[in-house]
Amino acid sequence: MKESLARRNLIARQSGEHLHDFAQILIGLNGRMECEFTRQSGQIATGTLAIAPDGEPHLFSGLNEESELLVIDLAPFDPYIQALEQSCNLSFKETILKQPEFITLSPQMLPMLDFAASQLAKSGQQISDQSRYQINCQIITLFITQLCQQYSATPVTDSKNPRLNRSKLNSYIDQRLSSPPGNMELANALNLSESHFYYLCQKELSQTPQQYIMTRRMHRARFLLQNSDAPQGVLADELGFSEVSGFSRAFKRFFGITPGTARKLKRYSR
């Protein structure tokens, strides 16, 4: 792939596994889709997006017939992307595209998302190649610059909140395990800007916010497996997984054993 591409992709109820030698930005347009990376998973809905770095395998599953994404495929050596990097003074591969992440778009971006979707619909009609290229560049610039603003390499320090309130953070996450919150929601709960909240998580927890949420979900899963007889389907639903298979894969990736094995190990130790 020589040029980066913005496109609409109707997932509906399809599922599968992808692995690309280029990075992708997956933005929810309609419906909901579940997406699983190696060490974390989440849902993509209208106004949320997922970063899929190059070489990062990911499973996807559409949760309803309306599930549709705005997909941005980022070609590794696209001169236009290189020009954007110079403009933002960032290496995208080392910053915004470095690792998988689920992000909530700011409310100001939602009208722009509608605009992007309408422009892509227009690009599928009989228009010139030049017009199609301009629409493509316009959409890529729109979302790349938004990500650069949210994840600046030099976040502004919030002197009133120099550290994470770990207790408040944990309490908020634990109340929402069945519907894991996005970064913006967590930042608002802690009275932090989203960029500074992300920076503090990296600095103090050595994890992204969504990786930390997954850590708490998995430890809660192990506790429930070893201290209750609830079926795995009930636990999966309680911990925000739409299917038992997704819960089982996430648990095995995290602990190296299946949920069933974790439950048996506890019983044998009694």
Side-chain angles (χ1 to χ4, degrees), residues 2 16 34 36 75 152 157 177 179 192 213 217-218 224:
K2 295 181 179 180
E34 193 165 82
E36 293 183 36
S152 170
T157 301
L177 293 179
S179 179
L192 296 168
I213 289 173
R217 291 167 77 192
M218 290 297 97
L224 292 173

Side-chain angles (χ1 to χ4, degrees), residues 11-234:
I11 301 295
R13 291 188 178 274
Q14 298 178 67
S15 61
E17 182 174 7
H18 281 173
L19 177 63
H20 309 291
D21 60 359
F22 55 87
Q24 284 185 320
I25 302 173
L26 310 172
I27 309 165
L29 280 180
N30 300 297
R32 303 183 76 86
M33 187 188 87
E34 193 165 82
C35 187
E36 293 183 36
F37 295 105
T38 304
R39 292 193 58 81
Q40 61 180 306
S41 65
Q43 289 190 6
I44 306 173
T46 305
T48 60
L49 64 80
I51 301 294
D54 62 285
E56 175 70 31
H58 50 284
L59 299 170
F60 68 92
S61 178
L63 300 180
N64 46 48
E65 299 296 338
E66 297 77 30
S67 179
E68 184 181 15
L69 298 176
L70 190 162
V71 180
I72 299 178
D73 301 318
L74 295 165
F77 304 106
D78 185 344
Y80 184 74
I81 299 299
Q82 293 175 346
L84 274 178
E85 286 185 310
Q86 293 180 355
S87 175
C88 295
N89 195 29
L90 289 175
S91 167
F92 297 158
K93 186 177 177 66
E94 296 301 319
T95 53
I96 62 174
L97 304 177
K98 185 176 182 179
Q99 55 197 352
E101 183 68 9
F102 293 89
I103 300 168
T104 303
L105 293 173
S106 64
Q108 294 81 3
M109 284 294 294
L110 296 182
M112 299 181 188
L113 179 59
D114 291 337
F115 168 76
S118 65
Q119 290 295 94
L120 285 175
K122 182 189 299 183
S123 70
Q125 301 170 1
Q126 296 298 319
I127 62 174
S128 67
D129 290 342
Q130 180 63 28
S131 295
R132 187 174 290 108
Y133 177 77
Q134 290 176 347
I135 290 172
N136 200 56
C137 291
Q138 194 175 33
I139 292 172
I140 291 172
T141 301
L142 182 68
F143 289 100
I144 285 289
T145 52
Q146 170 71 7
L147 289 174
C148 288
Q149 290 172 7
Q150 289 187 240
Y151 298 100
S152 170
T154 55
V156 177
T157 301
D158 188 336
S159 58
K160 295 182 180 179
N161 296 280
R163 297 183 62 84
L164 282 174
N165 184 330
R166 192 82 60 89
S167 176
K168 188 174 182 179
L169 175 63
N170 291 344
S171 177
Y172 195 90
I173 291 173
D174 293 346
Q175 292 174 25
R176 293 284 309 278
L177 293 179
S178 63
S179 179
N183 294 356
M184 182 179 294
E185 185 177 345
L186 285 172
N188 289 339
L190 297 177
N191 297 315
L192 296 168
S193 69
E194 188 174 356
S195 60
H196 189 57
F197 168 64
Y198 187 89
Y199 167 75
L200 288 176
C201 284
Q202 293 275 46
K203 179 182 178 182
E204 297 183 25
L205 306 176
S206 299
Q207 293 180 301
T208 68
Q210 295 302 314
Q211 287 172 338
Y212 186 66
I213 289 173
M214 179 59 76
T215 296
R216 296 199 68 81
R217 291 167 77 192
M218 290 297 97
H219 282 286
R220 178 62 177 170
R222 185 172 63 179
F223 175 84
L224 292 173
L225 283 165
Q226 297 180 342
N227 293 276
S228 79
D229 293 319
Q232 289 189 33
V234 173

